Amino acid sequence: MTDSPADATPYEVLGVPASADDEELRRAYRRAARETHPDLGGDAVRFRRVQIAWERVGTPAARRAYDTGSRPGSAPSAPSGSSSASDWRSGSARDAYAPPAGRRDSRPRARSHGHPGGRSREVFLAAEREWVGLGDPIEDPYDPGLIRSAPRSIRRLLGEALAEEATAAIVADMGIGVTVWHDLDAGAEGKLDHVVLLPSGLWAVESIDWGGPVRIEHGEVVGETLEPGERPVKELVRAARAVQKQTRVRFTGRLLVVPDAAVDVDVQLVGPQRKPTAFVVRRSALGQVLNGVWSPEGAVDVFEVRDRLQQTVRFV
């Protein structure tokens, strides 16, 4: 598990509701540990997730700390005879969930237009209000306890906003030679998260976090945590084409930026190598890709493309 709100909660990993009592939780842990233990024919990755889940909620103190998003006095231990996850972490998640504060440093930053993650946060807040109950006040929509108790579909909406903001922060640090537009209107296709312009090319970029690992099969991204019928590469292509038609610009390529934990390699091509449909990029490798390490040959007229986008782009 990661600290992403899109990831499965410890209760979901153990297969019990968050309201389960301590004994029910303990029985669920023992059952999940038996089912996933590698020596009993289980899967090592799933077994590891079970151990981390238990360490986060396996004692009353740890459970209170997880449910409230606070820092426990000490890390819990697993029941006798089980493995423990030594890299367990906790702490207040409120600041990580809330919108990012403005930067105060004086470093040169990329030219930025639009509001990264803005629409995704609006959708998340609306869904959260509907889940809590329309008309019922929400004192703090980013309270960790409230978010961690929400259905995963709602947590994933927040995860998408955080993913978009993380990409925006990486691009912003690339300096004044870069221009980026966020939350572009793609008409019937919804929105395109980012368009990034720099001398190496013009990139259509989507940022997403499914809260789990993904892989590429038959030209598409697949994984257990994707929604039924979800086709991320196809959706990116359609959104990019809509923006391209609207603005009369041509994209160098399309990038699908995912958390580092979601994939095993920095960059994966989707489609034929000579003309890939898109690149699936680890977040930590995004700067390298945009700087031209994996870019196709050729450059763009930055000034001409920037002026055209400024005159034609629409935001959601």
Side-chain angles (χ1 to χ4, degrees):
M1 290 183 295
T2 68
D3 290 325
S4 166
D7 203 358
T9 68
Y11 303 109
E12 290 168 339
V13 172
L14 297 175
V16 295
S19 58
D21 61 33
D22 291 346
E23 182 56 33
E24 184 180 358
L25 190 66
R26 182 177 293 272
R27 288 198 303 268
Y29 164 74
R30 294 190 182 280
R31 180 174 60 251
R34 287 195 302 269
E35 292 173 351
T36 60
H37 199 292
D39 293 344
L40 299 176
D43 179 78
V45 174
R46 293 178 182 272
F47 182 71
R48 175 69 169 170
R49 289 171 65 86
V50 168
Q51 302 313 306
I52 295 174
W54 177 256
E55 293 205 355
R56 289 186 168 181
V57 297
T59 68
R63 189 174 183 180
R64 284 193 301 271
Y66 175 82
D67 289 344
T68 61
S70 60
R71 184 179 298 278
S74 60
S77 58
S80 176
S82 69
S83 301
S84 66
S86 59
D87 60 351
W88 180 82
R89 298 288 184 269
S90 186
S92 178
R94 202 280 174 189
D95 291 342
Y97 293 157
R103 298 291 187 94
R104 296 183 179 181
D105 60 72
S106 58
R107 291 175 296 166
R109 310 189 70 75
R111 299 177 178 90
S112 179
H113 307 278
H115 187 182
R119 173 53 66 89
S120 294
R121 283 192 180 271
E122 289 177 0
V123 174
F124 158 71
L125 291 171
E128 185 185 46
R129 285 193 295 270
E130 183 174 355
W131 167 66
V132 170
L134 295 177
D136 293 340
I138 300 178
E139 183 175 345
D140 181 3
Y142 298 109
D143 174 72
L146 178 64
I147 291 173
R148 289 171 174 176
S149 64
R152 194 171 187 179
S153 60
I154 293 177
R155 303 198 313 270
R156 181 176 154 179
L157 295 173
L158 178 58
E160 291 182 7
L162 294 171
E164 293 170 33
E165 291 162 0
T167 292
I170 292 171
V171 175
D173 284 339
M174 295 181 68
I176 60 175
V178 179
T179 306
V180 56
W181 294 261
H182 305 286
D183 271 4
L184 289 80
D185 185 359
E189 305 302 331
K191 75 179 182 78
L192 182 61
D193 292 345
H194 325 272
V195 168
V196 184
L197 173 65
L198 65 171
S200 68
L202 179 69
W203 297 91
V205 183
E206 288 283 307
S207 306
I208 197 161
D209 181 358
W210 292 282
V214 297
R215 62 191 183 279
I216 297 173
E217 289 185 1
H218 307 298
E220 188 54 88
V221 173
V222 299
E224 293 182 3
T225 54
L226 273 68
E227 296 293 332
E230 188 173 1
R231 303 187 65 183
V233 174
K234 185 176 182 179
E235 292 163 10
L236 168 57
V237 169
R238 286 180 171 178
R241 284 176 177 169
V243 171
Q244 186 169 286
K245 182 178 180 180
Q246 170 196 320
T247 59
R248 305 187 309 280
V249 299
R250 182 176 295 278
F251 289 115
T252 303
R254 311 174 189 96
L255 306 180
L256 191 63
V257 182
V258 301
D260 284 16
V263 290
D264 295 328
V265 296
D266 286 346
V267 182
Q268 298 179 70
L269 277 62
V270 182
Q273 185 170 1
R274 295 185 65 181
K275 192 176 180 180
T277 305
F279 298 83
V280 176
V281 181
R282 260 182 170 170
R283 189 178 294 155
S284 62
L286 177 61
Q288 292 178 297
V289 174
L290 292 175
N291 273 319
V293 175
W294 282 279
S295 299
E297 293 183 3
V300 297
D301 187 328
V302 171
F303 298 104
E304 179 184 347
V305 173
R306 185 166 61 209
D307 288 345
R308 183 177 298 177
L309 281 167
Q310 284 293 83
Q311 294 170 16
T312 57
V313 74
R314 297 196 301 264
F315 299 99
V316 294

